[in-house]
Amino acid sequence: MEGLKVSNANLTVYLHPSKSRDASEAILRELSSLLFTFSEALDGVVLAYDINSLDNKAAKILSGVIPYFGVPLSVDLLLFSPKPDMLLEGKVVKLSQESIHVVVLGFSSAIITEKDIREEFVYKIKHEQDVYASKSHKRHVIKVGTMIRFSVKSFDEEILHIYGSLMPDHTGSIHIYIFLCFTYLQKLHRIAKKRESEGELTTVKQDAIDGKISPLDSALKIKRSKKQKIQEES
């Protein structure tokens, strides 16, 4: 999924003198306060962190009314930074004729309004459940619980809300794209097996013409090749 990135940052955490005895715990608490909030400096929502280096001895006392001290550290951050036209994935939690509501990564909400749903999808009530069904593929259905891929229109950084779109052709239910990919791979496998079988049959016939094997051996091998081919196709 797009929108996720790992960034290495050199930070300075400022602590109150009362935290000097257990600076490590205080630093972890400060970093935890960044989680699931948007940071303009980091240009993303902090989802996780991993401290690479921490040097308490390099801490510097700041001058001022209260002498806070700063502790430098290097940290890897997992950031969520959705931009327009990026492709995100989420789970449908609510669906109506007017909109589809999605949760992304378990914390960010997204909405796709009716005007941003391509004409391929038709709203229906199927088995007493609201769904958007594709007119071009009967298996392509979006309903509550469906994992979908959608395009980003905009992102409200203050409330972590995404406005999405299903207008691009490659958006919709993730399940259908997995199904189509699997079906395509099966088709390629069948074609490869068929060509392999036809190639073996041609080799047997040519060897018989060249006198490398007897007519009886040729007939038996050709018969076995045809039998294998029938079994594979069935």
Side-chain angles (χ1 to χ4, degrees):
M1 182 176 74
E2 297 178 350
L4 290 173
K5 62 181 180 180
V6 176
S7 177
N8 178 264
N10 295 315
L11 305 176
T12 300
V13 178
Y14 300 102
L15 303 175
H16 190 275
S18 62
K19 306 295 183 181
S20 60
R21 290 186 178 182
D22 196 353
S24 297
E25 182 180 347
I27 288 171
L28 291 176
R29 191 176 295 112
E30 288 295 323
L31 290 175
S32 296
S33 68
L34 297 175
L35 295 176
F36 303 107
T37 59
F38 183 85
S39 169
E40 291 186 4
L42 300 171
D43 188 31
V45 180
V46 181
L47 301 182
Y49 62 84
D50 182 27
I51 299 176
N52 293 322
S53 64
L54 171 63
D55 190 358
N56 289 336
K57 295 180 180 179
K60 296 181 180 180
I61 297 177
L62 306 177
S63 59
V65 179
I66 301 178
Y68 275 74
F69 64 97
V71 181
L73 66 151
S74 174
V75 58
D76 287 331
L77 300 168
L78 176 61
L79 302 174
F80 178 57
S81 183
K83 305 294 183 185
D85 299 325
M86 280 186 174
L87 294 177
L88 301 183
E89 298 171 3
K91 184 177 182 179
V92 177
V93 293
K94 183 180 178 181
L95 186 148
S96 66
Q97 188 171 1
E98 293 76 27
S99 60
I100 299 174
H101 297 260
V102 183
V103 170
V104 179
L105 296 174
F107 77 94
S108 182
S109 62
I111 184 171
I112 304 168
T113 59
E114 183 182 9
K115 64 183 179 64
D116 293 314
I117 301 174
R118 62 182 183 274
E119 294 183 356
E120 173 191 345
F121 292 104
V122 178
Y123 173 79
K124 297 180 179 179
I125 298 179
K126 192 173 182 180
H127 304 302
E128 299 183 353
Q129 186 177 22
D130 296 340
V131 303
Y132 269 99
S134 169
K135 293 186 290 186
S136 59
H137 199 294
K138 64 179 182 179
R139 289 179 176 266
H140 198 170
V141 177
I142 297 174
K143 58 185 178 180
V144 172
T146 300
M147 291 295 297
I148 67 170
R149 179 186 297 124
F150 64 95
S151 175
V152 177
K153 290 187 65 179
S154 63
F155 177 52
D156 190 321
E157 300 165 353
E158 185 175 349
I159 60 175
L160 308 182
H161 187 77
I162 302 166
Y163 296 91
S165 169
L166 286 176
M167 295 303 287
D169 292 335
H170 49 285
T171 57
S173 170
I174 294 175
H175 171 78
I176 190 63
Y177 293 109
I178 295 175
F179 171 79
L180 293 175
C181 182
F182 180 72
T183 303
Y184 179 69
L185 291 175
Q186 282 186 319
K187 183 178 179 180
L188 290 180
H189 179 70
R190 286 196 298 269
I191 293 173
K193 293 290 287 184
K194 182 178 180 181
R195 289 177 177 174
E196 181 183 351
S197 176
E198 290 175 348
E200 291 176 354
L201 186 59
T202 302
T203 302
V204 171
K205 288 180 179 179
Q206 187 61 46
D207 287 345
I209 294 172
D210 295 340
K212 295 179 181 179
I213 56 177
S214 68
L216 179 59
D217 290 338
S218 177
L220 289 174
K221 289 185 178 181
I222 291 174
K223 185 176 181 180
R224 281 197 295 268
S225 297
K226 287 183 177 180
K227 185 177 180 180
Q228 291 174 355
K229 182 179 177 182
I230 293 172
Q231 289 175 345
E232 291 171 358
E233 291 180 348
S234 61

